[in-house]
Amino acid sequence: MGEVRKLQKKLRQIENLEINISQSLTPEERVKISRKAELRTRLAELLLQLSGPQQTPGIVGGGKHEKMKRQVEATSEALPSHSPSATKIPKGEAEPTGRQKKTGSQKETVTRGETGRKEETGGRRETGAGEEQSEPCLAVTDTSPKENQEDAEFTSLKASWEKAKFRLRSLEGHSDIVTCVVAVDNLVISGSRDTTVKVWHVPTATEQRNLGGHTGGVTCLSAPPPEYCRRLAWELSLGDKERFILSGSADCCVRIWALSTGQCVKSIYTFNAVTALCFVPEGDGYIITGSDGGKVQAWSWQTMDNCQSINAHEEAVTSLQSQGPLVFSSSAEGGVSVWEGLCTNRDPLQLLHHWDATVTGCGSQEGRLTLSPRGDRLFVAYGRANLRILNWRTGTVSRLTNHSSIAGVTDCVHQTGGLLIGSCYDLTNGESTLNLFSLPQCRYLASLTWADAPRILCFAAWLTGSGGHRWVTGGRALTVWEQLPSSGKQRGDVTTKRDNRLDASLIESEGDSEDEEDSDDYDDDKEEDYTSQDAPESGSTSWLRCVLQ
């Protein structure tokens, strides 16, 4: 197991090195990256030796090297079944004599009869000569009509997603990694490490505009609501239907773009590399930015003036999300803060809660932490095999299994149309999937993958007029997902599968840090360093974390 963990850590470091903010790699870094296939081959061999009889190996196309379909770790635990039904033992269940009526699917107990006849008496069985043989009592499943209805709805939903079909279309144009995506009507806006923001017309899968102006990699995007767009459009003498997009960059700028013309209409200089941003639709509206130094700042939508600057986190802000007047921020050191927007021009943000990494369990050296709020719950992706679910009011945490082994990496999490979607990338074999869970119960539905699927770093989704799903995924490729009618004859480009090991996937956390493979039982000083020598000490890759709208 020691060597397996070493190889997994090296592969994780190589993957993060490839998507580092550095625009160019040193010769030493290129040598390290070139060893990825070799390390994967060795890891696959070790896992085959450690795997049980249920393990099924797979072969990489072209016969280059073996890879594992699934990794069975000795550390994997059996998770409790996640079902709304509760099994209970009824009070006074066994009566020594007489008739006892049982509810549900249980049979009615019969009074003792003639010799030689087997009869039920509570938890006992009577045999020929009148001797009794002890037998376990039958538990009664106490299910309400509401629970039965929920189970029926879930079963129907699961069956529909097992038949899901999607057509995939690639959007070609960026010359580097796509770090963030948002959707506005029939448009997709993408930001890239190549410093550009591009606008795509989804129905035709064509590039509509190329918004150039940033001098550093684009790290985050946000789309203000239409009513706030109308206010700015009126000020700029533009049409009432004008939509705007906000982009943040490592060049310390936030730019505001008019989508109809592709022009930058306003800009904000923040004095710090912008790593995350969101829009708060309260009062006159506020733009909230996060920096690579951990600072959270609020800017007036009306005047673009700085209203507040807070040293909120020790390391880089990796994600900012708004939910009504609330703002949620996360940082590279694993902390999460909850802010309330006070709709004032001075100090509009007030801290409600802060939970550090000892509570969230999301300590991360790579700064890979993104958020998706839902009521009192905050879904957190932090570059590991599990999603964390934080009750931001109480600080209680549960874990949602997003991969069947610790070799999985979760880069982003998103909610759409009653679904929770988590991306998953397998360090062992380079496979990428999207895992679907039902909301609000977080019950596993299905996994979607496709041939040569790249690592997914960002995600956007919306529903079409007919109720179908339309998604966009970004990373090394920018791809549009168009849901096809399940009854149609057209074949989809996506493979739908189920991993039964994710069925019982929601468990309560015991406050552990769950360091998993980073809690290595070996001395790092004796191992080759796969981290970038040019990267800053804190939050070096956090600029990649996208704000998922």
Side-chain angles (χ1 to χ4, degrees):
M1 286 298 296
E3 187 175 356
V4 167
R5 290 193 171 219
K6 292 177 186 178
L7 291 172
Q8 287 174 342
K9 185 170 184 179
K10 287 182 179 180
L11 285 170
R12 181 186 296 278
Q13 291 172 342
I14 288 174
E15 290 284 351
N16 291 326
L17 183 62
E18 287 187 289
I19 57 175
N20 196 279
I21 190 172
S22 176
Q23 295 292 325
S24 59
L25 296 172
T26 66
E28 293 79 9
E29 291 169 342
R30 293 183 185 278
V31 170
K32 293 174 183 178
I33 291 174
S34 68
R35 293 191 59 203
K36 182 165 63 174
E38 173 192 339
L39 295 175
R40 278 185 176 160
T41 300
R42 175 56 182 160
L43 181 57
E45 292 172 352
L46 290 174
L47 292 175
L48 281 173
Q49 296 172 12
L50 294 172
S51 63
Q54 297 86 2
Q55 187 72 30
T56 303
I59 304 299
V60 173
K64 294 182 180 179
H65 59 273
E66 291 186 347
K67 68 178 181 180
M68 303 298 297
K69 288 286 186 181
R70 295 290 173 198
Q71 176 187 1
V72 180
E73 288 286 342
T75 57
S76 61
E77 301 176 356
L79 305 180
S81 176
H82 181 62
S83 170
S85 302
T87 303
K88 301 179 181 178
I89 304 296
K91 296 181 180 179
E93 61 182 69
E95 296 182 8
T97 58
R99 298 182 65 156
Q100 177 187 0
K101 291 187 178 181
K102 301 184 179 181
T103 60
S105 60
Q106 289 184 291
K107 295 181 179 179
E108 188 178 77
T109 304
V110 183
T111 312
R112 288 192 178 94
E114 54 184 327
T115 304
R117 185 177 176 182
K118 185 189 301 182
E119 308 194 12
E120 290 181 83
T121 57
R124 288 187 289 247
R125 184 178 65 193
E126 191 169 351
T127 57
E131 60 183 357
E132 295 179 347
Q133 181 175 346
S134 178
E135 193 173 54
C137 293
L138 182 63
V140 176
T141 301
D142 183 15
T143 57
S144 66
K146 180 180 179 181
E147 290 172 332
N148 289 332
Q149 181 180 357
E150 289 177 351
D151 278 344
E153 291 175 352
F154 173 76
T155 300
S156 175
L157 183 62
K158 182 174 68 173
S160 67
W161 278 107
E162 288 174 352
K163 301 176 182 177
K165 295 188 296 184
F166 281 85
R167 179 182 61 168
L168 302 184
R169 291 177 295 166
S170 180
L171 302 180
E172 303 286 347
H174 284 296
S175 60
D176 210 329
I177 290 171
V178 176
T179 60
C180 43
V181 288
V182 295
V184 178
D185 301 327
N186 278 328
L187 301 176
V188 163
I189 298 91
S190 58
S192 170
R193 192 167 63 179
D194 65 10
T195 75
T196 66
V197 176
K198 290 184 181 292
V199 182
W200 310 84
H201 185 243
V202 174
T204 58
T206 57
E207 180 181 329
Q208 193 174 71
R209 297 193 182 280
N210 179 30
L211 311 182
H214 284 295
T215 57
V218 178
T219 60
C220 44
L221 296 169
S222 183
E227 57 269 28
Y228 289 90
C229 290
R230 282 193 291 269
R231 297 181 192 179
L232 182 57
W234 181 83
E235 176 190 333
L236 298 173
S237 300
L238 297 174
D240 290 343
K241 295 183 179 180
E242 182 64 71
R243 297 300 301 270
F244 298 93
I245 199 76
L246 311 176
S247 62
S249 170
D251 64 7
C252 307
C253 280
V254 173
R255 292 183 178 271
I256 304 174
W257 309 87
L259 292 182
S260 66
T261 64
Q263 298 297 312
C264 176
V265 295
K266 289 181 180 291
S267 65
I268 299 171
Y269 188 76
T270 67
F271 295 95
N272 298 277
V274 181
T275 54
L277 66 80
C278 71
F279 188 89
V280 181
E282 296 291 324
D284 292 332
Y286 297 92
I287 302 169
I288 310 298
T289 61
S291 77
D292 60 350
K295 185 179 291 185
V296 171
Q297 295 178 287
W299 310 81
S300 169
W301 177 246
Q302 192 172 31
T303 65
M304 301 297 162
D305 292 335
N306 180 230
C307 302
Q308 190 176 14
S309 294
I310 310 167
N311 292 319
H313 298 281
E314 295 179 3
E315 296 184 19
V317 178
T318 59
S319 182
L320 282 168
Q321 291 287 321
S322 63
Q323 179 180 261
L326 299 177
V327 175
F328 303 87
S329 64
S330 62
S331 66
E333 77 268 12
V336 172
S337 293
V338 185
W339 312 83
E340 182 179 17
L342 301 180
C343 301
T344 62
N345 290 329
R346 183 176 180 181
D347 297 337
L349 294 181
Q350 175 180 311
L351 181 65
L352 294 180
H353 300 279
H354 175 77
W355 306 106
D356 61 22
T358 60
V359 175
T360 66
C362 296
S364 173
Q365 296 178 354
E366 292 86 19
R368 304 188 178 284
L369 198 155
T370 57
L371 307 175
S372 181
R374 181 185 177 88
D376 291 348
R377 294 188 294 177
L378 195 60
F379 297 101
V380 184
Y382 66 113
R384 294 294 183 268
N386 296 320
L387 289 164
R388 293 275 175 162
I389 305 176
L390 170 68
N391 185 311
W392 56 266
R393 294 185 186 275
T394 64
T396 56
V397 178
S398 56
R399 290 183 294 176
L400 184 63
T401 304
N402 194 46
H403 196 273
S404 56
S405 82
I406 63 173
V409 175
T410 303
D411 285 306
C412 56
V413 59
H414 191 80
Q415 301 172 58
T416 180
L419 294 176
L420 178 69
I421 304 175
S423 70
C424 185
Y425 180 76
D426 194 321
L427 293 169
T428 307
N429 52 35
E431 289 184 349
S432 188
T433 58
L434 290 176
N435 293 324
L436 312 183
F437 303 87
S438 66
L439 288 172
Q441 298 89 355
C442 298
R443 298 173 69 179
Y444 173 65
L445 294 168
S447 298
L448 306 179
T449 189
W450 69 105
D452 301 320
R455 185 171 178 175
I456 296 172
L457 299 177
C458 50
F459 189 97
W462 68 105
L463 297 176
T464 64
S466 59
H469 285 267
R470 187 176 280 167
W471 304 338
V472 176
T473 55
R476 292 201 174 278
L478 184 61
T479 306
V480 174
W481 300 52
E482 187 95 34
Q483 188 175 20
L484 302 173
S486 57
S487 58
K489 295 182 179 180
Q490 186 176 357
R491 295 185 61 182
D493 300 321
V494 171
T495 300
T496 304
K497 57 184 180 180
R498 298 198 83 256
D499 186 345
N500 294 331
R501 287 168 289 188
L502 299 186
D503 278 329
S505 56
L506 185 65
I507 58 176
E508 293 298 319
S509 176
E510 295 80 20
D512 59 307
S513 62
E514 196 190 4
D515 289 333
E516 294 171 329
E517 70 267 28
D518 279 346
S519 59
D520 298 305
D521 51 359
Y522 62 92
D523 187 359
D524 283 341
D525 293 337
K526 298 178 181 178
E527 296 300 315
E528 186 176 0
D529 183 12
Y530 275 70
T531 57
S532 175
Q533 302 300 319
D534 299 328
E537 292 183 0
S538 63
S540 60
T541 59
S542 61
W543 74 285
L544 280 170
R545 308 322 323 139
C546 52
V547 177
L548 305 179
Q549 298 298 327

